[in-house]
Amino acid sequence: MDMSKTASFSSIATLSIIQMRNVSASYDSKSFVLKNVSMNVKRGTNYAIVGASGSGKSTLLKLMNGMMIPSGGVVLYNYQKPDLKNRQYRKSISKIGYISQTLGLVKNSSVLDNVMIGGLPRLSFFNSFFKLFPKEELEHAHKVLKLVGLDEKSNRKVHMLSGGEKRRVAIARALMQKPDILLADEIVSELDSVTAREIMDVIKDAQKKFNLTAIMIHHDMNLALEYANRVAVIKDGDKVLEIGVEGEQIIDFQTGNLTQEEILEMYNEP
Amino acid sequence: MNPKNNLLIGAVIAVVVVMSYDVGVDPIAFVEGLPNLGIVLKEMTEFESEHWGTAFWAMLETIEMAFIGTILGVVISLPLSIFAARNVSSKYVYGPLRALLAATRTFPSILWAILFVIVVGLGSFAGILAITLYTIGFISKLQYESIEAIDYDPVEATTAIGLSKIQLIRYVIIPESAPHLLSQILYMFDYNVRQTSILGIVGAGGIGFYIINYIKFFEYGKAAVFMLVVLIAVLAIDWASVKIRDRYIMKAQHGQQVKVVKN
Ligand SMILES: Nc1ncnc2c1ncn2[C@@H]1O[C@H](COP(=O)(O)OP(=O)(O)OP(=O)(O)O)[C@@H](O)[C@H]1O
Ligand SMILES: [Mg+2]
């Protein structure tokens, strides 16, 4: 075996996929909803972002895939600036599985059609126009539908699904993209804790299967600590805390050494 | 009622009276002429039954014309409505296009029929063209309005996936704006059958040709046969579209959330 190849492979595994340096963001160029945020997400990480409502979490996620442009600082995805006006970047955006807080499903289409949308950037103009899906694409769609547990309902119209099922469709569509990274904005926040954990387990499975990096926004700190190995806390547009979780151990990256109780306490403080 | 309202009602009545005098409204002529209506109605009941066959075939031709015109119009409207939608197209495209579509709706189809008789000659083809044009103007408007009303959420989500504009139209815009299309088409066909029934008056084919000519020659018994056939056909189509609507559209919406309106 070629040693240099092995070496470069293992170094890729630890490369950063998202980098932010002193990023600020504003919707009206007067007030900033994010101020001077820096973060570094390595490939393969299971990253969670928590914070109160209105603290700027969704904005942070939109900066990562170029749906928003920072007012200051630098954002890099795979060492390039996410910018939808850049043709080079537009090609790579299909590798970012982004699930917005509102899911963005086509309600009058079937589950399968929604999932196929994730694969459209790979299809030729002709095939996508006439809905001639290649066999391997259909197979992949059914594979991800099985993974999220919706293969039996693949012909159902999306507006006839439950809230949890809709989230599964959005996950399946993102997985259909064959993504490098999954950005998910509070996809389990509105669900009961049993369904929320079911869906988090689905994502955990998918991460293992497809070797995914995930950045997920959560409302529930406990859920974040349970599933993620990195947790960042956003407060009023600032990243006030970043910790790593390894088994029972909590490693601190931004503040002093804290116990899990202290962190939970800190988050629960008004 | 307050005096302001009384004044307003008085003013409206005055305007109607003045205008009626201006255009020559003559109530006495109406009363004196009523017996004529009696004569016509009596003659109309004297059906000339050997005309049922002709009337049937003329009505069939009318329905065929309306059907072809509706389908052609809808097929042309679908791409046009996408180009005319403000949330999909550029203003240099939708601006002129919307003006053009508005122009086609300005005149009733019978005026377009006169124009097309001049262009392609007497007969059904001129009528079909007139119906097609009117349908384009109407369905395009209904469709671009429903495209403009679609939810922005899936549009944003699929942009973030990297879909091309064509894919966006094919997989998001069309499915999200189509649910009302079937009901619009049924309504348009219904409307077009009635319109086509009178196009014969200007020589653009269909059953109206017989009706206008028999009336011209005071053959009310014959005209009545044709008018009755129109009535039956329109009622039948009306009934059928209600059935289709119930079956497909109600079914499509079954399970959709019921909106509770609060006062
Ligand atoms: N499109 C917008 N235009 C203007 N202001 C916005 C827009 N979107 C968000 N904001 C503002 O930016 C701030 C941060 O919003 P953001 O959506 O990032 O919060 P969040 O942390 O995701 O909140 P939540 O948990 O409620 O989803 C809020 O004060 C919000 O009012
Ligand atoms: Mg949010």
Side-chain angles (χ1 to χ4, degrees), chain B residues 164-192:
Chain B
S164 68
K165 190 107 186 186
I166 305 277
Q167 289 173 333
L168 177 74
I169 291 167
R170 181 77 180 79
Y171 288 85
V172 182
I173 307 278
I174 293 177
E176 290 288 86
S177 64
H180 305 294
L181 191 61
L182 179 61
S183 135
Q184 288 165 2
I185 294 170
L186 286 171
Y187 172 81
M188 200 68 218
F189 176 61
D190 199 327
Y191 180 85
N192 281 345

Side-chain angles (χ1 to χ4, degrees), chain A residues 6-238:
Chain A
T6 326
S8 69
F9 189 79
S10 68
S11 68
I12 281 178
T14 56
L15 288 179
S16 297
I17 190 159
I18 296 283
Q19 287 166 295
M20 290 195 168
R21 274 196 299 275
N22 309 327
V23 169
S24 58
S26 171
Y27 285 99
D28 52 11
S29 63
K30 280 184 220 121
S31 60
F32 288 95
V33 298
L34 287 175
K35 305 149 205 156
N36 212 23
V37 173
S38 297
M39 63 170 59
N40 188 4
V41 181
K42 294 224 160 69
R43 277 184 180 273
T45 316
N46 198 341
Y47 202 98
I49 298 169
V50 276
S53 184
S55 55
K57 306 181 298 294
S58 297
T59 310
L60 196 62
L61 218 60
K62 283 183 210 157
L63 289 166
M64 293 180 188
N65 70 345
M67 294 306 280
M68 229 183 124
I69 302 293
S71 340
V74 186
V75 179
L76 296 175
Y77 159 70
N78 244 348
Y79 303 99
Q80 58 174 333
K81 281 187 191 172
D83 176 6
L84 287 171
K85 290 193 190 84
N86 181 334
R87 182 190 291 239
Q88 190 66 35
Y89 174 71
R90 273 210 308 272
K91 269 185 205 150
S92 58
I93 198 175
S94 67
K95 290 300 228 174
I96 304 179
Y98 168 65
I99 306 173
S100 73
Q101 208 162 350
T102 43
L103 303 180
L105 298 172
V106 184
K107 294 177 192 63
N108 290 312
S109 292
S110 69
V111 169
L112 183 64
D113 280 354
N114 267 280
V115 172
M116 290 313 292
I117 287 175
L120 288 178
R122 293 192 292 271
L123 257 56
S124 69
F125 174 82
F126 184 84
N127 281 353
S128 73
F129 192 80
F130 292 101
K131 285 197 176 186
L132 299 168
F133 302 128
K135 196 162 150 273
E136 65 272 15
E137 293 291 345
L138 276 171
E139 277 168 4
H140 192 68
H142 285 293
K143 188 173 148 193
V144 296
L145 276 171
K146 271 205 193 81
L147 191 93
V148 300
L150 269 184
D151 206 26
E152 271 84 58
K153 291 185 177 163
S154 63
N155 291 321
R156 186 82 74 88
K157 290 266 180 344
V158 163
H159 69 74
M160 296 180 188
L161 297 177
S162 75
E165 287 169 334
K166 281 183 187 141
R167 283 163 175 84
R168 289 166 197 265
V169 178
I171 295 166
R173 184 179 67 186
L175 294 178
M176 188 67 195
Q177 291 177 246
K178 299 188 177 171
D180 274 344
I181 185 168
L182 187 67
L183 308 176
D185 195 346
E186 296 201 31
I187 50 171
V188 299
S189 296
E190 285 163 34
L191 302 175
D192 62 272
S193 71
V194 176
T195 319
R197 279 176 173 76
E198 267 173 31
I199 291 196
M200 287 305 295
D201 288 336
V202 163
I203 290 175
K204 207 165 136 188
D205 270 7
Q207 267 191 294
K208 273 190 211 135
K209 224 175 217 142
F210 303 113
N211 201 9
L212 265 177
T213 311
I215 302 181
M216 303 184 70
I217 294 177
H218 289 296
H219 231 99
D220 181 357
M221 182 65 149
N222 288 310
L223 200 77
L225 289 170
E226 196 176 320
Y227 283 92
N229 41 36
R230 266 300 168 101
V231 181
V233 178
I234 306 291
K235 196 175 177 185
D236 300 330
D238 271 325

Side-chain angles (χ1 to χ4, degrees), chain B residues 194-208:
Chain B
R194 277 174 277 150
Q195 291 295 304
T196 314
S197 304
I198 60 162
L199 291 186
I201 293 172
V202 298
I207 199 165

